[in-house]
Amino acid sequence: MSPAAAGALERFLDAGKTAIPPLTLLTAVLFYFGYVSARARYEYFGVDVDTIGLGTQEYIMRSPQPLLTPLLVVAAAGLGSVAVRAAVRKRIRTATAVRRLGRVAQGIGLTTLIAGLVLVSGYTFLRDWWLFGLVTPLLIAVGATLVRYGATVRRSPDGAPPFRRSSVVLGYLVLAVSVFWMTATTAQWSGRGLAMADANRLDKLPSVILDTKESLYLRSPGLEETKLPPSEGQTFHYRYRHLRLLIHGKDRMFLVPDRWSASDSTIIVPLDGSVRVQFQFQNQRPQAGR
């Protein structure tokens, strides 16, 4: 990289630090991963998460679940790399052996990095591979780290000048983007897993009785439609049972049948007075004296 380009990159990064406060960046990251997880979760039930009307706070509150595993993995990988580096330093003492180690690390890293870039170039053909979003950034992250580590090890015995700041920043940038990509993939998997867990125990969701003015012609298996007896002042004429509350949006509810089936559909119920909703008790009967 030319000195002019390196200087431009450094100025851009310094400007970014000033323009984006850490708290704002953290909020944006939490929001993004909460959104990715929620989108995958409710997409399983045929719902576009944007139609629910969740706010920033709701998405941020949903982010710890998908972020827990990646954070633990990154922390474990960091501790493991420190332990490995200490063990290597303890066993390898000569400059020749250190240089050989650096060359091996760079060779493995370069091969791994190229493999990741090949997968990226084949995105059109490999995008449906369910492990693509995890394996590809993992190869790029590991490859970039090994190349950077190997170069550092090879320079240290000779007292060579340190890397240019721009090259170091680019290395960390590649690593950060790769980790971000992997975390987004695990957030999608987390959301999908939560959706399947919900579908496996729909009976644990709040039970809803829905009264409507007109027949909804619902055909999901297990739903029960009852015509209410006519009475003076009665505006609701149909009652539906065996519904469960999937999620409550800003001004609407999303209901699903209490038994999962591939032919089921999610019902959107507006909270505008056109329907009447009752929630049934689900708790265990309280015991006397408690």
Side-chain angles (χ1 to χ4, degrees), residues 90-155:
K90 191 174 182 180
R91 291 177 176 271
I92 301 178
R93 300 180 180 276
T94 64
T96 303
V98 170
R99 294 193 195 93
R100 186 180 301 115
L101 173 64
R103 286 195 296 270
V104 171
Q106 278 189 301
I108 296 175
L110 187 59
T111 302
T112 306
L113 183 60
I114 291 174
L117 295 177
V118 168
L119 289 178
V120 171
S121 64
Y123 172 78
T124 304
F125 307 100
L126 299 173
R127 60 184 176 184
D128 293 330
W129 180 33
W130 69 282
L131 286 175
F132 178 84
L134 185 66
V135 173
T136 304
L138 179 61
L139 290 175
I140 294 175
V142 172
T145 301
L146 288 176
V147 169
R148 175 75 177 83
Y149 174 74
T152 303
V153 168
R154 290 183 64 185
R155 284 171 173 250

Side-chain angles (χ1 to χ4, degrees), residues 172-191:
Y172 283 121
L173 183 61
V174 170
L175 181 61
V177 171
S178 301
V179 171
F180 189 90
W181 186 357
M182 286 187 288
T183 306
T185 300
T186 57
Q188 289 179 327
W189 289 357
S190 174

Side-chain angles (χ1 to χ4, degrees), residues 13-227:
L13 293 173
D14 290 337
K17 293 178 183 178
T18 305
I20 306 176
L23 183 59
T24 302
L25 180 61
L26 177 62
T27 301
V29 169
L30 293 177
F31 172 85
Y32 175 77
F33 289 120
Y35 177 85
V36 169
S37 178
R39 186 173 189 83
R41 182 177 186 177
Y42 296 110
E43 188 178 42
Y44 182 81
F45 295 96
V47 178
D48 186 342
V49 72
D50 293 330
T51 65
I52 299 176
L54 298 177
T56 302
Q57 183 177 357
E58 285 83 2
Y59 286 121
I60 292 176
M61 292 176 64
R62 294 170 185 270
S63 62
Q65 173 76 25
L67 285 177
L68 180 60
T69 299
L71 289 177
L72 290 176
V73 171
V74 170
L79 291 175
S81 64
V82 171
V84 169
R85 185 175 182 181
V88 169
R89 282 188 171 183
K90 191 174 182 180
R91 291 177 176 271
I92 301 178
R93 300 180 180 276
T94 64
T96 303
V98 170
R99 294 193 195 93
R100 186 180 301 115
L101 173 64
R103 286 195 296 270
V104 171
Q106 278 189 301
I108 296 175
L110 187 59
T111 302
T112 306
L113 183 60
I114 291 174
L117 295 177
V118 168
L119 289 178
V120 171
S121 64
Y123 172 78
T124 304
F125 307 100
L126 299 173
R127 60 184 176 184
D128 293 330
W129 180 33
W130 69 282
L131 286 175
F132 178 84
L134 185 66
V135 173
T136 304
L138 179 61
L139 290 175
I140 294 175
V142 172
T145 301
L146 288 176
V147 169
R148 175 75 177 83
Y149 174 74
T152 303
V153 168
R154 290 183 64 185
R155 284 171 173 250
S156 57
D158 298 329
F163 287 100
R164 290 181 178 274
R165 184 182 176 186
S166 58
S167 63
V168 175
V169 169
L170 283 176
Y172 283 121
L173 183 61
V174 170
L175 181 61
V177 171
S178 301
V179 171
F180 189 90
W181 186 357
M182 286 187 288
T183 306
T185 300
T186 57
Q188 289 179 327
W189 289 357
S190 174
R192 189 78 169 181
L194 289 172
M196 291 182 176
D198 290 336
N200 195 42
R201 48 183 178 82
L202 289 171
D203 59 325
K204 302 299 182 182
L205 298 177
S207 181
V208 175
I209 298 175
L210 178 65
D211 294 342
T212 64
K213 298 179 181 180
E214 300 178 353
S215 175
L216 301 180
Y217 298 100
L218 301 179
R219 295 295 179 262
S220 294
L223 289 186
E224 177 184 324
E225 180 187 270
T226 305
K227 193 168 184 178

